[in-house]
């Protein structure tokens, strides 16, 4: 597909109809996976209405916000809270926010401006950074980049707070260019050393950024070809003016929302980069164009990402319409490689195939088991697949298999995997169960196992 | 556009794989090595990556050089505190364990290692070190290519799930498994009985062998990873890791992984490459001097390595093992205003083991002739790789690092 054609809107046709697989695809990318009701509604509504619903979210839920605020209170989350407590708080938002798309974008920016509590050591500052990311998640990237530069957590994370006139610290200047706005190859070491001088004199006072002119190097600096008595916001502006900037951010959006499999050519991304600059760096505008596009609903994007641990686990919990204790969940996600508020480095999580190795794959399957089985009490046993079937009035093994495969894979899986699940449902009746188990105990155990086995199918690892 | 192909694919090559299982699965345990001749058993390389850019100047310290104190007024190590290696050089005071290995003639310091036009990006420079190349697009690691040339089993011992498989191991014919602990390395089921458990495991494995062809490299990647994982997990479950070792390790994640390395080596599953990292060396601010953040890291490193070699000796395995340390770069010679150090370039490497020719290799970089404030390199790291490949692992290094980098000779004793 040519670039101008690829980003044109998709319209359903006889050859390329709107189907369950596409609804599931959209819900995985614009959120954290569908429920059965969302699949059915999306199929009935068609692409336009479904995309609109996902982009704007359900109406705000005052109870949800009030509960979330209450849990973010200084008494519930004091400055000394650990990353697991913080992550649990965010996971609760991701699970229950009626606007999951906005949480998805906040997570994208958390990975982009990857800051870790491990060095910041102040949960209030990390919380403040989350609020900043959430506020600007769908909005103007220029404002976000400017605000993050004097965000207290970031100022500690990349040592702005210790950078003084005559003794600049290069950490923030380097990562601003390399990771936050331009990408490697679009600046020189001299640009970094000069820019670092502009970031001197910024400290934290009473929990907010404070500019101390006495510690600031007010001399002339030449950064990316522009000379002046630059301060922090000037360097941000200069970076934003570079043609490399919209290209760099759009490239990251592509990988996060379209495909991790094949890197697109610069020409292919150019329409999106131009759009990003033209619309004033409005992130939602670019993503909306992506979601509506022919390219997004083509095999080039479908299942062309590996689920992050958060996507993997939240997809299961949402699908099962269950509730989980988010503290143990945050803990389990750390083993899977994604403890929120603790990215491995300022580059964030590598993502893609790097999520999966022998150890993390086993952790994923074992976590899927722990959530769906009632034998593991860690997650509170409130994600019961058997109860879900009853709620949806499904009965019998054939209906159970069909329900789980529709919910989690939209029935798009190899025929032999389907056959093996059917065979298992038959053969499992011969197993020796404890004597005191009733017929319904055995039946429900089988249904939970069928749900678990569905989640272990390789296709479920793909987003 | 600065996303490379590898950024997309992650730290593993998705294409061009055979679907064979890890080498150690096909092998019978090497329980009967030709132990009659010392050193006849196959050699093992343990790579320790110091992530973040280790401050080489406060690791191997030119304590006699008056310039050192000028460059490091607050974080410099006082002369009487260093663990002296020679009249000019000493190790950081927290490195008693490694100083002791030097005394025992089991440690060599290779000075001023680096490469031309050094990158000061953590990520680019780490890629260069792990790939053994400064080419633009790096998708294979130096050890991955070594494993392609010669069938060797590798293990990546990850500190936690956050740590992804390193580029260094990419390109191997089969994916190198990442392990965090043996206890967690198994597939659980909620089975009614043993037959059910077997059936469920078979079903889960079978889904990775779907005969339906797929053009999707990602789906193939998941299937292959899963297939290899289930097979590895079965095999390691069956392994009775008789752990009679009584050597006590420090209570750090790093030391625990070295202990796991010793167990894997002793279990004779054919491990020849073991890769692990210690993170936290990006000391831009408040790095400390004789005590503090950097000292703690060096102590973790040194004590872990000392315990590892005590354990290997007790198991009769030490002579097979060479441990190599490296970091993506050293740090700026002059400390910054935050009592820390910014990104630099050349830094020392360590080679450790009974078969390593102990001593100090090369000259300490000049503290007066700096390259934009950074220590200048004199030894290209690929010459050290070439020596390890040819003289330790017995592999032709030309296809891996290129013939422009002659091996540095006499790093090992015969």
């Amino acid at each position: 597909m040519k670039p101008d054609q690829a980003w044109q809107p998709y319209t359903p046709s006889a050859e390329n109809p709107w189907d369950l697989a596409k609804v599931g695809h959209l819900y995985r990318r614009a959120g954290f996976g569908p429920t059965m009701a969302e699949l059915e509604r999306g199929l009935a509504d068609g692409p336009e209405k479904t995309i609109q619903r996902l982009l704007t979210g359900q109406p705000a839920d005052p109870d949800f916000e009030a509960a979330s605020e209450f849990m973010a209170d200084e008494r519930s989350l004091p400055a000394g809270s650990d990353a697991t407590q913080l992550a649990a708080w965010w996971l609760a938002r991701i699970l229950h926010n009626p606007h999951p798309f906005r949480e998805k974008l906040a997570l994208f920016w958390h990975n982009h401006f990857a800051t870790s509590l491990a060095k910041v050591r102040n949960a209030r500052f990390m919380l403040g950074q989350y609020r900043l990311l959430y506020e600007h998640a769908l909005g103007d990237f220029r404002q976000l980049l400017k605000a993050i530069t004097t965000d207290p957590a970031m100022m500690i994370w990349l040592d702005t707070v210790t950078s003084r006139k005559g003794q600049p610290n290069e950490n923030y200047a380097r990562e601003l260019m390399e990771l936050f706005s331009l990408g490697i190859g679009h600046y020189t070491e001299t640009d970094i050393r000069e820019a670092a001088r502009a970031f001197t004199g910024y400290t934290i006072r009473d929990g907010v950024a404070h500019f101390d002119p006495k510690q600031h190097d007010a001399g002339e600096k030449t950064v990316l070809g522009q000379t002046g008595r630059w301060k922090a916001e000037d360097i941000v502006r200069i970076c934003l003016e570079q043609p490399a900037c919209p290209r760099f951010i759009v490239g990251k959006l592509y990988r996060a929302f379209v495909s991790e499999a094949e890197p697109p050519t610069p020409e292919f991304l150019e329409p999106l980069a131009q759009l990003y600059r033209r619309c004033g760096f409005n992130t939602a505008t670019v993503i909306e164009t992506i979601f509506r596009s022919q390219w997004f609903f083509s095999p080039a994007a479908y299942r062309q990402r590996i689920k992050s641990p958060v996507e993997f686990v939240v997809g299961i919990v949402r699908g099962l319409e269950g509730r989980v204790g988010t503290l143990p969940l945050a803990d389990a996600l750390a083993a899977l490689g994604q403890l929120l508020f603790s990215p491995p480095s300022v580059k964030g999580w590598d993502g893609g195939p790097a999520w999966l190795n022998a150890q993390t794959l086993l952790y994923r399957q074992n976590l899927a088991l722990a959530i769906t089985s009632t034998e593991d009490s860690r997650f509170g046993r409130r994600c019961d697949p058997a109860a879900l079937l009853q709620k949806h009035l499904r009965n019998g093994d054939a209906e159970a298999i069909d329900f789980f495969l529709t919910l989690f894979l939209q029935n798009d899986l190899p025929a032999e995997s389907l056959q093996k699940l059917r065979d298992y449902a038959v053969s499992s009746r011969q197993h020796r169960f404890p004597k005191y188990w009733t017929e319904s105990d055995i039946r429900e155990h089988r249904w939970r196992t069928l749900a678990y086995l569905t989640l272990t199918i390789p296709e479920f690892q793909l987003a | 556009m600065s996303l490379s192909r590898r950024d997309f694919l992650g730290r593993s090559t998705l294409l061009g794989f055979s679907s064979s299982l890890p080498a150690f699965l096909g092998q019978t345990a090497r329980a009967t090595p030709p132990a009659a001749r010392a050193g006849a058993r196959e050699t093992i390389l343990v790579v320790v990556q110091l992530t973040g850019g280790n401050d080489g100047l406060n690791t191997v310290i030119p304590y006699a050089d008056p310039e050192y104190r000028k460059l490091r007024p607050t974080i410099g190590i006082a002369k009487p505190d260093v663990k002296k290696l020679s009249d000019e050089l000493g190790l950081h005071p927290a490195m008693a364990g490694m100083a002791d290995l030097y005394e025992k003639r089991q440690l060599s310091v290779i000075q001023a290692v680096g490469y031309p036009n050094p990158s000061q990006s953590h990520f680019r420079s780490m890629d260069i070190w792990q790939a053994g190349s400064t080419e633009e697009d790096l998708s294979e690691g130096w050890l991955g290519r070594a494993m392609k040339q010669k069938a060797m089993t590798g293990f990546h011992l990850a500190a936690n799930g956050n740590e992804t498989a390193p580029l260094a191991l990419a390109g191997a014919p089969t994916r190198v498994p990442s392990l965090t602990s043996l206890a967690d390395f198994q597939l659980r089921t909620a089975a009614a009985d043993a037959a059910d458990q077997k059936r469920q495991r078979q079903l889960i494995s079978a889904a990775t062998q779907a005969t339906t062809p797929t053009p999707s490299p990602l789906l193939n990647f998941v299937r292959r990873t899963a297939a290899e994982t289930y097979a590895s997990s079965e095999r390691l479950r069956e392994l009775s890791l008789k752990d009679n070792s009584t050597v006590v390790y420090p209570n750090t994640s790093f030391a625990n992984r070295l202990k796991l390395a010793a167990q894997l080596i002793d279990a004779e599953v054919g491990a020849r490459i073991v890769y692990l990292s210690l993170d936290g060396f990006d000391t831009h601010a408040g790095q400390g001097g004789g005590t503090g953040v950097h000292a703690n890291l060096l102590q973790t490193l040194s004590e872990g390595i000392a315990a590892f070699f005590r354990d290997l000796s007790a198991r009769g395995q030490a002579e097979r093992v060479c441990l190599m340390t490296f970091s993506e770069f050293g740090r700026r010679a002059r400390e910054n205003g935050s009592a820390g150090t910014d990104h630099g370039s050349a830094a020392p490497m360590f080679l450790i083991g009974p078969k390593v020719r102990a001593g100090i290799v090369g000259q300490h970089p000049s503290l007066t002739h700096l390259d934009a404030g950074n220590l200048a390199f004199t030894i290209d790291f690929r010459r050290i790789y070439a020596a390890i490949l040819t003289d330790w692992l017995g592999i032709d290094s030309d296809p891996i690092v290129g013939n422009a980098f002659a091996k540095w000779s006499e790093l090992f004793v015969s």
Side-chain angles (χ1 to χ4, degrees), chain B residues 53-197:
Chain B
N54 178 37
D55 184 13
L57 193 51
N58 267 14
T59 304
V60 177
I61 299 156
Y63 65 88
D65 189 334
E67 286 298 318
Y68 172 70
R69 190 136 297 279
K70 290 184 201 159
L71 291 167
R72 300 291 174 90
T74 58
I75 64 165
I77 307 298
K79 205 169 179 174
D81 295 342
V82 300
K83 301 280 175 194
K84 293 187 178 58
L85 303 177
S86 73
D87 292 341
E88 280 114 36
L89 293 176
L91 295 178
H92 188 284
M95 300 173 75
M98 285 169 67
D100 187 46
L101 286 164
Y102 185 80
E103 284 292 310
K104 289 183 182 147
R105 313 296 299 153
Q106 298 194 6
L107 179 145
S108 83
V109 178
I110 306 169
Q111 306 218 69
V113 190
Y115 56 91
N117 304 315
S119 168
Q120 285 171 53
S121 155
H122 288 292
F123 312 104
R124 171 66 183 161
S125 196
M126 186 59 91
D127 280 358
I128 287 170
W129 273 86
Q130 292 196 7
S133 164
T134 56
E135 275 169 40
E136 193 57 41
D137 204 5
L138 301 170
S139 59
E140 284 188 344
W142 71 288
L143 295 168
R145 287 200 298 275
M147 286 186 259
K148 196 151 64 176
Q149 210 178 120
K150 181 168 178 174
M152 295 189 292
T153 296
F155 289 96
H156 168 231
L157 306 183
N160 51 49
N162 250 347
E163 195 188 309
T164 56
L167 171 66
L169 299 169
T174 54
R175 239 157 78 88
V176 173
S178 291
L179 265 75
T180 301
S181 87
L182 284 181
D184 288 333
F185 202 71
Q186 50 181 294
L187 183 66
R188 301 205 176 92
T189 57
D193 56 12
D196 187 16
Q197 183 174 57

Side-chain angles (χ1 to χ4, degrees), chain A residues 68-106:
Chain A
S68 185
E69 280 305 308
F70 177 75
M71 293 310 291
D73 186 276
E74 192 143 10
R75 278 163 302 183
S76 309
L77 270 181
S81 305
D82 63 25
T84 313
Q85 291 168 280
L86 269 172
W89 176 81
W90 191 358
L91 284 168
R93 289 189 60 85
I94 289 173
L95 280 164
H96 305 301
N97 193 332
H99 198 352
F101 175 57
R102 193 156 174 181
E103 297 290 353
K104 191 91 187 254
L105 261 293

Side-chain angles (χ1 to χ4, degrees), chain B residues 260-343:
Chain B
L260 176 56
Q263 290 172 330
L264 286 167
I265 288 168
D266 208 21
E268 305 281 6
V269 288
R272 294 203 60 199
I273 308 282
V274 180
Y275 199 102
L276 66 164
S277 9
L278 178 61
D279 197 354
F281 286 90
D282 194 21
T283 49
H284 280 280
Q287 83 172 49
T291 58
V293 176
H294 188 236
N296 293 343
L297 287 163
L298 293 177
Q299 185 175 352
T300 299
L301 176 75
S302 172
E303 288 186 351
I305 288 174
F308 180 54
F309 275 96
R310 277 199 300 278
D311 192 9
L312 289 175
S313 296
R315 295 171 190 264
Q317 299 279 11
E319 300 224 321
R320 298 174 65 196
V321 177
C322 166
L323 183 148
M324 174 201 115
T325 74
F326 81 99
S327 190
E328 70 264 42
F329 42 62
R331 305 193 77 82
R332 199 73 47 80
R334 186 178 298 281
E335 66 179 56
N336 63 21
S338 326
T341 44
D342 289 316
H343 300 183

